[in-house]
Amino acid sequence: CCCLFAWAKRSENNFEDQSSTVNDEMVDRLNSLQESYEFCKAELNKQELSNKMRYDVDAIVRVMTIPLVQYFIVHLSAQSGIMGDSQTEDEVDYMILYALSVLPLISICDEEVFGKLYTELVTGARSYDPLKFSEILKTLQDRYPCLGLSCSDIGISVLSVSTDEVPCQDPASNPGIVGYEPTYGTSFEMSKIDLDVSTILSLVLMEAHDLAIDIYKYGRNAKKEDSISYTAIQDLSNPKSQIVTNIYDRFINDGVDYTRVTEASILGVDEFKSLSPLRKSAAASLSIVTIDLHLAILDAMYQGIDVCNQEGTDANRHWDEAVALFAGWAEGVQERGSDSDGYLMFNIAQQICQRFDTCDENDNSPVNGIIIQKFSNGQDFLEQLQCDDALNSAKEIEKLIESILIDNLTYRSMTASSSFDQTSFLLAHITATALVPL
């Protein structure tokens, strides 16, 4: 049989220790969708049901990724000679096929790894080096969280003992963020908001504007604690703390709605209509980070201060989320962040120091280092309910982020004045838009 059910069944037969089978998970999700749809037709809790249906559909997409990854591992193993003498021309083609199915999904969070593996397993597949099997498998396993998967989702191959030499390990439940050690594990999910940014940019490049705006409005990667919906970038830019609400009001109440720039750049309308997909993508990226997520960082910090003033015990939950929104998941746990994978404010600061030759001796942004240190200081203050000291840390971080935006505006303005290019003017316009209401 060549149906998807049988295809998935054959795939899972090659693996053991899976947390659940793909087909069982598919049937459960489809039943859940059917049930939600019937309730929705009866007009019961439509918004809640639509969120649940969206989550189920997204879960189905992720579950269908599992057989793709499993077959990729199987044919990579075969081409590496691990399963005996199976390096046939057909086997090479199968490896290429499944590489083409899996690698673009990884590009959302790691373009550098995508490019490297694409060269080795697609364009250079005929000269693939079998000795690189363990390295490639480990690289793939480390990107499972990017795909919304875990080690137990994929399981352990039963076709080769060599995969035991590359044990799969899920990330810690509360990993660090560019050197900052969170108090709460919720920051790990929030940090994945940068994967939403990356996904939106990819969709804008493909001119899939409706899908891009859907992710902007409803999210796809940063799970909420209720586990049936996602944190959305659009929601993050609507503040809850009074201090940031006052800032937000300045964005929308002086006769010009500055927040509309993000949606316009994603949809490619108004001043962005004539831009190429690549330039629309650059505009959307800058707008999301400097307007939407800028407000979100401030709001998370000041929500933490509000909780502290009420003598709450979980002020650092919000504070940790501010760090996650500043740096993101792709930057990793090391203090210096990633060399090429960042998308958020941390990455903008890194780009600026490189453009103005102001990086430190390790080629890192000094401003990033100061901000992360002040986040760590504020974390300690909140833990000890020293709310005034934490407030001072928040204000200092706010000013440092403003300095990043000012430096970015300087760079964009210099580029625009020297090139007279429409895109440069629009990027300068977006950066100015992020600053004017402040």
Side-chain angles (χ1 to χ4, degrees):
C1 177
C2 58
C3 65
L4 287 174
F5 188 96
W7 172 74
K9 184 68 175 176
R10 286 194 298 271
S11 174
E12 71 187 36
N13 286 339
N14 296 322
F15 289 79
E16 60 185 8
D17 294 340
Q18 286 181 265
S19 55
S20 63
T21 70
V22 168
N23 287 328
D24 286 347
E25 183 72 16
M26 286 287 292
V27 170
D28 288 344
R29 293 292 182 180
L30 289 170
N31 284 334
S32 177
L33 273 173
Q34 184 182 44
E35 181 182 86
S36 297
Y37 179 65
E38 292 301 323
F39 281 124
C40 193
K41 286 196 300 182
E43 299 188 358
L44 299 172
N45 300 320
K46 277 198 168 186
Q47 185 57 56
E48 181 180 338
L49 286 167
S50 65
N51 289 340
K52 187 174 183 300
M53 291 175 73
R54 187 183 302 277
Y55 189 84
D56 282 334
V57 169
D58 187 66
I60 288 172
V61 173
R62 294 182 194 275
V63 167
M64 289 308 299
T65 304
I66 294 173
L68 294 175
V69 174
Q70 290 175 332
Y71 277 119
F72 174 57
I73 292 172
V74 167
H75 293 294
L76 179 66
S77 300
Q79 189 59 23
S80 300
I82 290 171
M83 295 161 54
D85 187 16
S86 55
Q87 293 178 306
T88 64
E89 190 68 19
D90 285 346
E91 201 57 61
V92 175
D93 291 339
Y94 276 122
M95 184 183 75
I96 294 172
L97 172 65
Y98 284 104
L100 288 171
S101 300
V102 173
L103 296 184
L105 305 176
I106 293 176
S107 71
I108 294 298
C109 60
D110 200 326
E111 293 181 13
E112 184 178 9
V113 165
F114 163 75
K116 178 182 177 182
L117 294 185
Y118 187 88
T119 299
E120 291 183 354
L121 304 177
V122 179
T123 58
R126 308 295 169 185
S127 56
Y128 164 69
D129 181 1
L131 296 178
K132 291 187 175 182
F133 170 77
S134 295
E135 176 189 339
I136 292 173
L137 181 58
K138 181 67 167 61
T139 299
L140 174 65
Q141 291 171 344
D142 288 346
R143 271 80 188 161
Y144 285 170
C146 166
L147 305 177
L149 303 175
S150 66
C151 295
S152 61
D153 288 329
I154 303 300
I156 301 172
S157 173
V158 299
L159 299 179
S160 168
V161 295
S162 292
T163 54
D164 293 336
E165 299 173 7
V166 191
C168 185
Q169 291 185 322
D170 289 322
S173 59
N174 190 19
I177 304 172
V178 293
Y180 174 90
E181 297 298 330
T183 304
Y184 292 90
T186 52
S187 60
F188 176 66
E189 284 299 326
M190 184 62 78
S191 70
K192 293 181 184 176
I193 204 72
D194 63 352
L195 300 184
D196 278 0
V197 176
S198 178
T199 303
I200 289 170
L201 305 189
S202 296
L203 291 171
V204 171
L205 279 172
M206 294 186 287
E207 300 187 76
H209 299 291
D210 289 342
L211 286 175
I213 204 69
D214 187 84
I215 290 175
Y216 172 71
K217 290 182 176 179
Y218 300 104
R220 188 178 187 272
N221 289 283
K223 288 183 182 178
K224 291 183 178 179
E225 288 187 80
D226 61 15
S227 293
I228 59 169
S229 59
Y230 297 100
T231 297
I233 294 171
Q234 185 181 58
D235 291 340
L236 285 172
S237 63
N238 291 311
K240 299 177 178 64
S241 67
Q242 188 57 53
I243 290 177
V244 185
T245 296
N246 293 338
I247 297 174
Y248 181 77
D249 287 344
R250 296 201 295 271
F251 270 87
I252 62 175
N253 288 339
D254 65 350
V256 180
D257 183 359
Y258 294 99
T259 63
R260 64 142 198 99
V261 172
T262 299
E263 289 197 39
S265 59
I266 292 173
L267 291 171
V269 297
D270 299 336
E271 64 263 50
F272 305 99
K273 186 175 182 179
S274 62
L275 296 184
S276 68
L278 180 62
R279 292 175 173 180
K280 288 174 186 173
S281 176
S285 174
L286 188 61
S287 181
I288 289 171
V289 175
T290 59
I291 297 178
D292 297 80
L293 295 184
H294 176 206
L295 287 171
I297 294 166
L298 301 184
D299 193 45
M301 284 196 303
Y302 288 115
Q303 281 189 72
I305 304 300
D306 290 343
V307 172
C308 182
N309 286 325
Q310 297 163 14
E311 298 188 358
T313 59
D314 61 347
N316 270 323
R317 184 182 302 275
H318 299 289
W319 194 261
D320 290 349
E321 290 177 355
V323 183
L325 293 166
F326 174 74
W329 179 85
E331 291 287 359
V333 302
Q334 301 300 322
E335 286 187 23
R336 69 185 305 272
S338 167
D339 291 330
S340 60
D341 297 328
Y343 297 95
L344 306 187
M345 194 72 72
F346 186 97
N347 182 256
I348 290 179
Q350 185 63 30
Q351 290 179 15
I352 288 171
C353 87
Q354 292 169 349
R355 287 163 178 161
F356 288 125
D357 195 24
T358 57
C359 299
D360 63 20
E361 64 275 10
N362 297 315
D363 203 30
N364 298 327
S365 163
V367 174
N368 278 339
I370 296 171
I371 289 176
I372 294 301
Q373 182 58 56
K374 291 191 179 296
F375 269 127
S376 295
N377 294 342
Q379 179 188 38
D380 292 338
F381 293 140
L382 290 174
E383 186 68 29
Q384 301 167 41
L385 293 181
Q386 297 176 3
C387 307
D388 289 343
D389 290 330
L391 178 61
N392 288 334
S393 292
K395 289 179 177 179
E396 290 169 349
I397 292 168
E398 181 180 351
K399 291 302 180 183
L400 286 165
I401 291 176
E402 282 185 28
S403 75
I404 295 173
L405 296 178
I406 291 169
D407 286 345
N408 195 41
L409 176 59
T410 302
Y411 169 74
R412 297 295 177 186
S413 300
M414 290 169 57
T415 303
S417 62
S418 62
S419 67
F420 296 100
D421 173 67
Q422 181 188 15
T423 303
S424 298
F425 279 108
L426 280 174
L427 294 179
H429 162 66
I430 292 170
T431 309
T433 298
L435 277 166
V436 168
L438 303 179

